[in-house]
Amino acid sequence: MSSETPDADPPQISAFYRAEDYGTQMSVGYTMRHIVRLMGQEIDRKMEPHGLTNAQWLPLIKLQGGKGSCGVAELARACQLDTGAMTRLLDRVEHKGLCRRERSVSDRRVVNLTLTPEGQQAAAVIPQVLSEMQNAVLAGFSEAEWQQLCHFLDRILQNAEGLQAQAEARTAKGKP
């Protein structure tokens, strides 16, 4: 993320798009969504030999990166899923023997998640698969172009997060 201060003026809103000639073929959002969908399909193909789906690798790598256990709500936040969707996903991952849920001894309301040895093995292959796939979709880019793309995507993300924060602030004040 950027090191800009929260007090900085928001960037000037651009007028690249106009309603009268709008088409999805030039939409940044549509293009990014299309790229994510295609990448997800490719990840599914590459994860299949390892017994994983595109949806299942993220909680595994997050659990592995945590180097310990974490709760369902915490993992759901890290994976940008609601807790209901995370619970259903964990049901499938646990059924495959890749993680286990254990009640906290100190607080019975808390369910901690840990990777099983099989889950640790599965998580170990994920970075290689993702690196290969991402490098493949970046074929033909120079390192400078890749860094510039990352910078541009970060700026788009910051703008989107800023819009979200504004909307949440308006909602908190009771304004639509």
Side-chain angles (χ1 to χ4, degrees):
M1 290 295 173
S2 164
S3 60
E4 289 184 35
T5 61
D7 299 335
D9 289 333
Q12 182 70 28
I13 293 180
S14 304
F16 299 123
Y17 297 99
R18 294 186 318 272
E20 56 271 8
D21 61 358
Y22 183 83
T24 57
Q25 64 275 14
M26 291 302 294
S27 164
V28 170
Y30 177 82
T31 302
M32 289 191 294
R33 185 178 182 107
H34 190 65
I35 291 167
V36 168
R37 184 180 59 78
L38 292 172
M39 289 174 71
Q41 290 172 347
E42 186 61 19
I43 292 170
D44 268 341
R45 275 193 284 283
K46 293 186 178 295
M47 291 292 181
E48 186 177 15
H50 306 287
L52 297 172
T53 66
N54 181 40
Q56 293 168 349
W57 68 263
L58 186 57
L60 292 181
I61 204 165
K62 292 287 186 183
L63 283 169
Q64 181 192 45
K67 303 298 183 209
S69 66
C70 76
V72 175
E74 180 185 348
L75 185 60
R77 277 190 300 277
C79 294
Q80 300 175 358
L81 292 172
D82 64 67
T83 52
M86 179 54 69
T87 298
R88 291 185 299 276
L89 178 56
L90 289 171
D91 287 344
R92 292 187 294 276
V93 174
E94 188 175 31
H95 182 72
K96 289 183 173 187
L98 303 176
C99 75
R100 68 178 152 261
R101 294 179 246 208
E102 300 167 339
R103 290 250 175 236
S104 169
V105 224
S106 58
D107 185 348
R108 296 286 298 155
R109 296 170 298 176
V110 175
V111 176
N112 290 315
L113 302 162
T114 55
L115 289 177
T116 63
E118 295 82 5
Q120 290 171 356
Q121 282 183 308
V125 303
I126 295 168
Q128 183 65 38
V129 170
L130 296 178
S131 295
E132 289 172 3
M133 192 278 309
Q134 296 220 31
N135 286 331
V137 299
L138 293 168
F141 282 71
S142 68
E143 184 169 346
E145 290 170 327
W146 169 69
Q147 289 177 350
Q148 187 174 30
L149 173 63
C150 291
H151 174 74
F152 289 156
L153 291 171
D154 188 51
R155 280 177 46 197
I156 292 170
L157 178 61
Q158 288 172 34
N159 289 340
E161 287 174 340
L163 291 171
Q164 182 69 34
Q166 290 172 6
E168 289 171 0
R170 283 192 308 272
T171 302
K173 291 179 183 177
K175 298 178 182 177

